[in-house]
Amino acid sequence: MKIHGLLLGAAASIAASVGGAEAAKELKFATSAPLGTPWVKHVDAIAEKISANSDGEISAKLFHAGQLGTEPVMVQKTIRGRIDILGSSMTAFSTVVPEMALMGVPFLWDSYAQIDCAMDKHLTTVFEPLFEKKGLKFLQWNELGWIHAFGTKPLVTLDDVKGVKVRAAPAKYSANFWQGMGANGVVLPLAETPSAIQTGMVEGGTLPAMTYVAMGMGKLAPHLTLSAHLHQSGALVMSMRTWKKLSATEQESITNALVPVQGLRDEVRNMADGMVAGFQENGGHVHKLSAEQRESWKTAVVPLREQLVSSIGGQAEEIWPKILEARQAAHFDLNQKGRARPF
């Protein structure tokens, strides 16, 4: 009987051990961010906190640098639950949440402070239900920074740009911008842009400064114009399929693990500034628009804004006034604090 009791006890112990192992959850956490960048540091910190908050019952297996596919592919995988958590760009998410493209309307924002205030205080609740409707749990904003123009020759005045073949990102706000500028926009995936410049298919395009420098684009098109004509944000999301399988306590372990995004923003922006300075020191050409030149760009592009909003689809025409209200509210908040200053 004693032996029988010991065997039963051992079996129960093994079963409990196996049950505990099965209870532990491993989440696939993906980004397209290259190693050694602020985005990877941010995501790694969140993953560590998820494990700590759940006492090791939830862990995150990290897949950086696009290991699980291109950004649009990873968005689709997240919707289907094949990726649990994803950090990606506004351009990628706008393929399923078209209203996200409204955040990239040219010349919408005046400063980083205005953008941060509008997103954090006024727009999170606007976008959360739009993401959830498409099977994605919105966790927090992401940051890529200002988008600038670049070319094989200086692109500073409207005359410089008129008729020039330029790469447009696969997003409606990019094509809309180049149309207003009088350029000949050619929609191309980012990966095809270097070869398109080498063959003369295009003579320029637009990119975040960090991407422009990191990709070595400056070797092919060495003129960077700090136009800051639109801002590229993004989001950190979770598959609703995964989210709904978690208990309330497990969900809390994840939301409480979200490292404040302002730290990421500051790091990305500082790194971009440093990379532009290094590019210039190494012989790259950096052009700064005068107030008059920037105003001429804005005057050329803004009249096409209504056309852009109506072309985006989804609930864009309903969401657009809310973005304008958020912009105005942020401007008011910053004026009250004495922090409202234009780009």
Side-chain angles (χ1 to χ4, degrees):
M1 292 294 292
K2 282 186 178 181
I3 293 174
H4 181 67
L6 288 171
L7 289 173
L8 286 175
S13 177
I14 292 170
S17 174
V18 171
E22 289 177 347
K25 294 180 173 66
E26 183 179 78
L27 304 178
K28 286 185 178 180
F29 198 150
T31 76
S32 60
L35 297 177
T37 59
W39 300 285
V40 170
K41 178 182 176 183
H42 184 73
V43 164
D44 287 354
I46 291 174
E48 288 178 11
K49 291 191 72 174
I50 289 174
S51 179
N53 290 351
S54 65
D55 294 324
E57 291 186 6
I58 304 176
S59 64
K61 187 173 182 179
L62 304 175
F63 297 88
H64 294 303
Q67 291 180 64
L68 300 185
T70 63
E71 285 194 312
V73 166
M74 288 194 289
V75 169
Q76 291 295 334
K77 286 183 177 180
T78 307
I79 291 171
R80 295 196 295 269
R82 292 171 60 189
I83 292 174
D84 300 301
I85 306 177
L86 174 67
S88 198
S89 69
M90 174 177 77
T91 302
F93 283 120
S94 65
T95 61
V96 294
V97 183
E99 299 87 352
M100 257 306 257
L102 294 170
M103 297 295 287
V105 168
F107 297 104
L108 173 61
W109 307 107
D110 298 322
S111 69
Y112 276 139
Q114 182 191 57
I115 294 165
D116 298 345
C117 182
M119 290 198 298
D120 295 343
K121 291 188 176 182
H122 307 286
L123 290 174
T124 301
T125 54
V126 171
F127 280 93
E128 281 175 336
L130 298 175
F131 275 79
E132 186 166 341
K133 190 176 178 181
K134 297 302 174 73
L136 299 168
K137 169 68 177 175
F138 184 98
L139 296 176
Q140 68 176 188
W141 294 101
N142 199 354
E143 174 68 14
L144 280 83
W146 291 122
I147 301 295
H148 304 294
F150 65 89
T152 56
K153 63 179 183 178
L155 299 178
V156 178
T157 69
L158 292 177
D159 285 341
D160 293 337
V161 178
K162 189 174 181 179
V164 175
K165 288 184 178 181
V166 287
R167 178 257 180 178
K172 290 183 177 180
Y173 49 77
S174 183
N176 175 269
F177 167 72
W178 285 124
Q179 181 185 351
M181 292 291 289
N184 184 1
V186 180
V187 178
L188 289 171
L190 179 58
E192 295 178 19
T193 304
S195 62
I197 292 175
Q198 288 176 314
T199 61
M201 181 180 176
V202 297
E203 298 175 65
T206 58
L207 282 174
M210 193 183 300
T211 306
Y212 169 80
V213 177
M215 282 186 69
M217 200 72 77
K219 296 176 182 177
L220 303 173
H223 293 272
L224 176 65
T225 302
L226 301 180
S227 53
H229 57 276
L230 66 86
H231 176 259
Q232 174 80 261
S233 61
L236 184 68
V237 304
M238 188 165 193
S239 172
M240 284 301 300
R241 292 190 179 190
T242 303
W243 179 256
K244 289 177 180 178
K245 292 176 184 176
L246 301 177
S247 67
T249 300
E250 290 170 332
Q251 291 175 349
E252 193 173 284
S253 293
I254 291 169
T255 55
N256 287 344
L258 297 174
V259 178
V261 72
Q262 194 59 50
L264 172 64
R265 289 169 176 157
D266 293 342
E267 284 198 50
V268 168
R269 294 163 187 174
N270 290 335
M271 189 172 183
D273 288 344
M275 291 176 78
V276 169
F279 169 71
Q280 190 168 23
E281 288 171 7
N282 290 322
H285 305 285
V286 178
H287 308 279
K288 295 182 180 180
L289 298 178
S290 66
E292 293 78 13
Q293 288 167 336
R294 193 167 193 275
E295 188 60 32
S296 70
W297 284 38
K298 186 175 180 179
T299 300
V301 174
V302 168
L304 297 180
R305 185 173 282 180
E306 186 176 332
Q307 173 187 320
L308 172 60
V309 172
S310 63
S311 73
I312 285 173
Q315 297 175 245
E317 297 196 59
E318 177 186 335
I319 300 299
W320 177 240
K322 296 180 181 181
I323 292 177
L324 293 179
E325 288 170 11
R327 181 186 184 280
Q328 188 60 37
H331 184 73
F332 177 80
D333 290 346
L334 295 171
N335 270 329
Q336 293 291 95
K337 297 176 182 178
R339 292 177 59 206
R341 59 183 181 84
F343 169 81

